[in-house]
Amino acid sequence: MPAPTKSLGRSLLVASAALLSLPLTAPAALAAPSPSPSSSASPSATPPAGMSTVGGVRLGRPGTQVDPAAGVPVIPKDISARSWIVADAESGEVLGSHNAHWRLAPASTLKMLFADTVLPKFPSTVKHRVTADDLAGIGAGSSMVGIKENETYTVHDLWLGVFLRSGNDAVHVLSAMNGGVTETVREMNEHAEELQALDTHVVTPDGYDAEKQVSSAYDLTLFARSGLQKKDFREYCSTVRAQFPGETKKDEEGRESRKSFEIQNTNRLLSGTDSDTPVYQGIAGVKNGYTTNAGNTFTGVAERNGHVLLVTVMHPEKHDHNEAYKETAQLFDWGFQAVGKVKPVGELVAPRGAQSGARAGADASPGTTGDAGDGSAAPAHAGTATGRGAGGAGIAMAITGGVLVLLAGGVFLVNRRWPLPDLVRRHR
């Protein structure tokens, strides 16, 4: 955990920066075009000549974008990902990228958007009895946590299934609670637009391959950055292992019992479950994914020496199943040497509602917009956010201990300095 002095210093930096900076949003002219019918797959390793320029003109150019600086090593030459990005999670500065806006199949990394959209809806203690309809429509070969029909689970259980086991069954149950898959997909697309993630088109809430379903390394990084403003999102994505409720069984005398079983996080940089992929120092999430169409995808967040970086890697060309993790670790290593030294090549833009909602966020009391962190906030409409997240009616700037920093005049600095509340379970 960071020392109190460090937290205070960071808070002062936030306040002073806010008085000198203004949040920026991408002009409408820079919006990405609508997905084409062929954009659901990536049949070749050649990026399109013209990509979105949200976050900066250079981010729309094909190839690697980085400004070399003295004392900073070159980007590792063996990075094979079709698309990647390295960004400062707090300032939003993009330190380096490669085809950042290339629309590719996202696989289960799309669950970050699902969580950022649906997490605020239900308190973690809410219980739900699963029906057959809840589990209908799950794609063949999907990753599953093991949810059973006619069993009761808490929302907390379901989110552990989403984040640790990437369970499409857990996603479908939560979607059913949220009004169904169609409604959830609509809200996810709406929330993506609010976050200015304009490369993204959602067809399935779990990231299962579907025609025209695409995202980009840039957009996945926006989803992670937004989600990490929520304490419960941070806790779920950084949990290495947990107990999950099993199936109710009867013994010979008819007595019912229900045991739990252990689930582990499939993020190998976090869990270290593969000897070929050790735990990364300072890792604290976020989400991995794999499908035949998408290949391996991964977004990670890590902290070192007071810096918090986000790295997204999509579809490494090397056929090692751990390659996305290995390349992410290499890019983290590069990023921690480059941060504060290289000139940014772009930025992670703020949500559309960040400016217009600043006053509303400042007027609200901590009791109504604070980061409760336990999933117990009152239900909120997806596509907006309370103080538990980013976007919509203002962004609560939660610092260590859950303190809300209300800047003078009700101005919330979102883009130039967007602190992530105390990251949990950083692995050393």
Side-chain angles (χ1 to χ4, degrees):
M1 301 292 287
T5 302
K6 175 183 171 183
S7 298
L8 177 59
R10 181 174 290 179
S11 300
L12 293 175
L13 177 60
V14 173
S16 61
L19 299 177
L20 298 174
S21 307
L22 291 175
L24 301 177
T25 56
L30 301 184
S34 300
S36 64
S38 62
S39 62
S40 61
S42 306
S44 73
T46 303
M51 294 178 281
S52 168
T53 53
V54 171
V57 173
R58 291 188 64 177
L59 299 182
R61 297 174 184 169
T64 300
Q65 306 299 319
V66 65
D67 283 330
V72 177
V74 298
I75 299 290
K77 296 185 181 300
D78 58 346
I79 300 296
S80 69
R82 292 184 178 183
S83 175
W84 57 258
I85 192 170
V86 181
D88 186 311
E90 290 189 318
S91 69
E93 294 177 346
V94 176
L95 309 180
S97 70
H98 181 78
N99 302 325
H101 281 291
W102 191 359
R103 285 172 162 165
L104 301 167
S108 286
T109 45
L110 194 63
K111 289 182 173 77
M112 293 187 294
L113 174 60
F114 171 75
D116 197 38
T117 303
V118 179
L119 253 176
K121 298 289 198 75
F122 308 103
S124 62
T125 54
V126 167
K127 295 181 179 180
H128 178 77
R129 185 175 179 84
V130 176
T131 69
D133 288 343
D134 295 345
L135 299 174
I138 298 175
S142 289
S143 54
M144 310 278 269
V145 69
I147 290 173
K148 302 297 182 182
E149 182 184 344
N150 296 322
E151 293 286 3
T152 298
Y153 301 86
T154 65
V155 167
H156 176 77
D157 295 330
L158 296 172
W159 283 117
L160 287 173
V162 171
F163 278 93
L164 272 67
R165 296 302 304 169
S166 201
N168 288 5
D169 47 356
V171 171
H172 276 253
V173 172
L174 285 163
S175 296
M177 294 173 64
N178 189 50
V181 167
T182 300
E183 173 63 14
T184 300
V185 167
R186 184 193 67 77
E187 292 180 352
M188 288 172 66
N189 280 313
E190 182 180 277
H191 191 44
E193 184 175 352
E194 163 69 16
L195 295 176
Q196 300 202 68
L198 305 182
D199 298 323
T200 298
H201 179 67
V202 182
V203 178
T204 64
D206 49 25
Y208 191 85
D209 285 338
E211 183 69 20
K212 298 186 181 181
Q213 179 155 275
V214 288
S215 190
S216 66
Y218 183 86
D219 284 10
L220 294 176
T221 308
L222 290 182
F223 302 151
R225 190 185 187 209
S226 178
L228 287 166
Q229 308 304 312
K230 300 176 175 67
K231 185 180 179 183
D232 42 7
F233 186 106
R234 298 193 304 273
E235 290 178 342
Y236 288 130
C237 78
S238 65
T239 298
V240 177
R241 58 183 56 86
Q243 292 296 310
F244 193 83
E247 188 174 6
T248 300
K249 296 183 178 180
K250 291 183 178 181
D251 61 19
E252 295 178 353
E253 299 178 0
R255 291 175 298 192
E256 292 186 346
S257 63
R258 189 182 188 190
K259 296 182 179 180
S260 297
F261 58 93
E262 184 177 274
I263 57 175
Q264 290 187 336
N265 202 311
T266 53
N267 173 357
R268 296 182 184 181
L269 288 186
L270 183 74
S271 64
T273 54
D274 193 309
S275 59
D276 192 38
T277 312
V279 172
Y280 189 82
Q281 179 185 351
I283 193 74
V286 176
K287 190 72 189 74
N288 57 308
Y290 173 80
T291 66
T292 302
N293 187 38
N296 288 287
T297 60
F298 181 66
T299 297
V301 62
E303 181 177 21
R304 188 177 297 176
N305 300 325
H307 296 288
V308 183
L309 298 185
L310 283 163
V311 172
T312 295
V313 166
M314 299 187 76
H315 205 138
E317 298 290 354
K318 296 179 182 178
H319 297 299
D320 182 346
H321 197 63
N322 289 330
E323 190 61 28
Y325 302 110
K326 294 176 180 179
E327 296 189 11
T328 296
Q330 288 180 284
L331 290 170
F332 267 132
D333 288 343
W334 176 84
F336 283 121
Q337 295 179 71
V339 64
K341 298 178 183 177
V342 297
K343 181 180 178 181
V345 296
E347 66 173 353
L348 302 178
V349 295
R352 291 189 189 279
Q355 292 184 33
S356 61
R359 184 67 235 174
D363 289 340
S365 67
T368 58
T369 65
D371 187 337
D374 58 0
S376 60
H381 189 279
T384 65
T386 62
R388 295 164 45 77
I395 297 177
M397 308 281 279
I399 309 299
T400 303
V403 178
L404 296 181
V405 178
L406 302 179
L407 300 178
V411 177
F412 281 76
L413 182 68
V414 178
N415 204 41
R416 292 299 186 188
R417 175 57 59 175
W418 191 356
L420 301 174
D422 195 31
L423 289 170
V424 296
R425 301 188 183 96
R426 286 169 297 228
H427 289 256
R428 302 301 180 187

